[in-house]
Amino acid sequence: MRIHTGKPLDEIGVGTNVRVPNLTTSPKTWPTTGFALDSDFLFLAEHLRAQDPSIETAHFGKWHMCDPWSTVGNGLAGHVPNVNLQDPVKFGFQTSTWGPLPYGGRYAWWRIADGTPTYVDGEAHSIFDETTHAASVMSNAARTWISGRTGPFFCSIALEFTHMPLDIPPTSLLSSATSTSLRRLGLPPGHRLVGDIYAETPRIDQNFWPAFYANAEAMDTVIGRIEDSIPADLKPTTFIIVLSDNGGTLAVAPIGFPPVGKDTLTRGGTNVTCVVYGPSVVRPGRAIRQICDIGDVYPTIAELMGHPAGDDVSLVPAITDDVPPDEVTALKPYSIEQSFFPIGETDHARFKDWHRSIVDGNFRYIDDAGREKFFDLRHDPLEATNISAARLDRVQAAALVNLKTILAEVLPPG
């Protein structure tokens, strides 16, 4: 959501994009009258085409802008008929091939191509290859579209491989060694390992590890194929930005990693990977330490394509190596994350279960719906120990006061 709007969640009114699964009476429901993002928002694809109508836009892959538990028989949003989050075309994309969050399986899912739904059911016919695998079908569609470009384009591709539950991917996406290893473990393509997305017990099944890494390998294969599909004359000017989903899959969490997942505002629930490849990258292979967040991707892409988006923070200075490498606040002094409901609400006074987090590179403060958490990242980078109630030294105490003050100013309670 923030990639496409560049706006904080309290401004766009989307503090959560799902409700608690299997609880039909949950307060985290979508409004029955429907919900539409403010038409004043200029989505990224729209912004690019407004600046240069020759730019072609497309989206392929997972589209999780809509509550997957509020659906009708065809797998599309039915609970909120007016919702404009259910179709990439309404975000400014000219064409799209996508599918809802595939809780029904990576091989049994709804494919929506330019608004037309088709049910793909490899499970019913025991077909577990790239013709039925969701990420394969949609990434192959992306490759076909990209290979046909002759000018500037913006293509959004959302690949769902390592998200729980885990399905073994097609053999064609894996090395022979990985395929052999999976076969010996009795894990053929299509085999599914199920775990609760938000509260998986770490290492509940040793097969989660090979399944997870097989999906990671398959994703690498697909990303390489997508890069190869870029026309030769466009490659010198094309950027590739790879982002991960937020949160971790706890069933394969490294030993010692705090047991936190997607539904928290700590590092384990908010930290994401961001890799940038392209002609403006200076000193390739380096890692930047500057604070940034997912909302900064919008102005970054706009600037890279020659159409800056106002005064918003862009990652371009870090990409071009024009910031002090050890100055974590060189791009911005802090980053804020939040979650709340009901969806569609922008009045802070009406927010329910409002969680807010602020991090400055050295410390993180969280107002967890009224419960405070404070972490010293200098000594606790994984945020395993909440020291909010501990005896703080002078530096820690000053940092806590500063972060609480900033958070209250930027996101004041209603």
Side-chain angles (χ1 to χ4, degrees), residues 14-15 20 55 68 120 161 195 203 324 341:
V14 184
V20 177
I55 295 176
V120 179
F161 280 97
R203 293 170 296 280
F341 65 90

Side-chain angles (χ1 to χ4, degrees), residues 251-276:
V252 290
I255 295 175
F257 194 86
V260 294
K262 297 174 66 65
D263 57 344
T264 76
L265 292 182
T266 59
R267 174 190 173 100
T270 60
N271 204 43
V272 302
T273 299
C274 179
V275 179
V276 181

Side-chain angles (χ1 to χ4, degrees), residues 151-373:
F153 67 92
F154 169 54
C155 185
S156 168
I157 307 172
L159 304 173
E160 188 184 51
F161 280 97
T162 57
H163 195 291
M164 295 292 293
L166 290 171
D167 291 84
I168 302 299
T171 301
S172 57
L173 301 182
L174 304 174
S175 66
S176 58
T178 298
S179 296
T180 299
S181 176
L182 292 174
R183 186 166 56 252
R184 288 173 177 170
L185 292 170
L187 301 175
H191 182 89
R192 161 165 284 202
L193 289 90
V194 179
D196 188 296
I197 293 172
Y198 295 101
E200 299 128 9
T201 302
R203 293 170 296 280
I204 57 177
D205 184 338
Q206 288 301 314
N207 284 335
F208 274 94
W209 284 92
F212 179 85
Y213 286 114
N215 274 278
E217 181 180 297
M219 182 169 57
D220 285 346
T221 300
V222 167
I223 292 174
R225 289 180 177 180
I226 291 171
E227 180 185 1
D228 290 341
S229 71
I230 301 172
D233 59 332
L234 297 181
K235 270 194 175 183
T237 57
T238 299
F239 289 88
I240 299 175
I241 299 179
V242 179
L243 297 162
S244 70
D245 195 357
N246 73 294
T249 299
L250 299 186
V252 290
I255 295 175
F257 194 86
V260 294
K262 297 174 66 65
D263 57 344
T264 76
L265 292 182
T266 59
R267 174 190 173 100
T270 60
N271 204 43
V272 302
T273 299
C274 179
V275 179
V276 181
Y277 167 85
S280 296
V281 177
V282 176
R283 291 199 300 121
R286 60 191 167 85
I288 69 169
R289 300 185 62 239
Q290 283 70 39
I291 296 171
C292 54
D293 62 52
I294 203 74
D296 302 329
V297 173
Y298 182 122
T300 299
I301 293 176
E303 184 174 350
L304 289 174
M305 296 194 72
H307 307 293
D311 298 324
D312 294 333
V313 174
S314 165
L315 307 182
V316 170
I319 293 171
T320 56
D321 201 22
D322 289 330
V323 294
D326 295 323
E327 189 176 327
V328 296
T329 57
L331 295 177
K332 60 200 308 182
Y334 54 80
S335 176
I336 290 179
E337 301 294 341
Q338 57 182 310
S339 68
F340 56 83
F341 65 90
I343 192 170
E345 187 57 73
T346 56
D347 183 350
H348 292 187
R350 299 179 185 275
F351 287 173
K352 305 290 192 302
D353 200 25
W354 193 14
H355 302 259
R356 304 175 298 159
S357 166
I358 179 170
V359 60
D360 67 0
N362 291 315
F363 300 92
R364 183 192 295 274
Y365 169 73
I366 300 176
D367 175 0
D368 227 352
R371 299 176 298 277
E372 290 190 328
K373 296 179 181 178

